[in-house]
Amino acid sequence: MSQVDDIRRQMALIRHEMHYDVSNVVSDVESVMDWRSIIRRHPYITIGAGLAVGYFLVPRRKPATRTVPLPQALAEISPETLAAVIPPVVEASRKAEKPSKPLSRQLLGWGVGMLWPLVGQSVQAYAAMWLEDQIKQHLNPNPKPPGDRVPPSSSGRPGEPYDGAPATRDARRG
């Protein structure tokens, strides 16, 4: 019977160690998956990475190219040719101008422009909470049901039983 007892002790020890190892792995995975803990541990690296990503994502400005005719080239053109060319150019530039939008459309654009960042942030926050809940459920497949919560004590002091009656306090005499 001593060999059977030894095997049982070894199995119990292995089960205990396995539980401890699994608990450590779960806590390590939770800390790795929590993006806030990474920011807390490495704030300067995170800021630098954010700046680098922003630098590479924002498109560069293209220099404005302006073609200005040289005065000498203008002097070589006859006045009759200039008179024939300038009115069509002026008319084409007038046609290219955008007509102004009605006031209601301008106000709608202003309102959407003000509210869109708020909507975007709300959607991001909701998505982050949902993703965190999904990860927590995946890491802890057997959560305690909400009905197992211990109700507070009637007096509000820890350790006192809750009897369902309203809390009463004795008046202090001084």
Side-chain angles (χ1 to χ4, degrees), residues 70-130:
L70 297 173
Q72 295 170 351
L74 288 176
E76 294 174 0
I77 300 174
S78 67
E80 294 84 19
T81 308
L82 281 177
V85 170
I86 289 179
V89 170
V90 171
E91 288 178 22
S93 67
R94 286 183 187 159
K95 289 179 183 177
E97 292 177 5
K98 291 183 178 178
S100 64
K101 296 179 183 177
L103 181 62
S104 61
R105 183 136 183 204
Q106 289 177 352
L107 289 176
L108 179 66
W110 178 78
V112 169
M114 291 288 286
L115 293 177
W116 187 251
L118 296 174
V119 171
Q121 286 180 351
S122 300
V123 168
Q124 285 178 344
Y126 178 77
M129 287 189 307
W130 179 83

Side-chain angles (χ1 to χ4, degrees), residues 11-148:
M11 288 178 65
L13 181 65
I14 290 171
R15 272 190 237 117
H16 177 71
E17 289 175 358
M18 190 167 44
H19 175 72
Y20 181 73
D21 291 342
V22 169
S23 297
N24 285 340
V25 167
V26 168
S27 64
D28 290 346
V29 168
E30 284 178 349
S31 67
V32 167
M33 294 300 287
D34 185 19
W35 58 272
R36 292 181 189 113
S37 68
I38 295 171
I39 292 173
R40 280 187 219 110
R41 281 184 288 173
H42 308 289
Y44 297 115
I45 293 173
T46 309
I47 290 172
L51 288 173
V53 167
Y55 177 77
F56 288 115
L57 285 181
V58 174
R60 297 175 193 226
R61 287 187 184 172
K62 296 180 181 176
T65 56
R66 294 174 56 189
T67 57
V68 178
L70 297 173
Q72 295 170 351
L74 288 176
E76 294 174 0
I77 300 174
S78 67
E80 294 84 19
T81 308
L82 281 177
V85 170
I86 289 179
V89 170
V90 171
E91 288 178 22
S93 67
R94 286 183 187 159
K95 289 179 183 177
E97 292 177 5
K98 291 183 178 178
S100 64
K101 296 179 183 177
L103 181 62
S104 61
R105 183 136 183 204
Q106 289 177 352
L107 289 176
L108 179 66
W110 178 78
V112 169
M114 291 288 286
L115 293 177
W116 187 251
L118 296 174
V119 171
Q121 286 180 351
S122 300
V123 168
Q124 285 178 344
Y126 178 77
M129 287 189 307
W130 179 83
L131 185 61
E132 287 177 6
D133 287 342
Q134 294 299 317
I135 291 171
K136 285 179 185 177
Q137 287 177 2
H138 181 70
L139 293 176
N140 188 8
N142 297 323
K144 289 171 51 176
D148 290 348

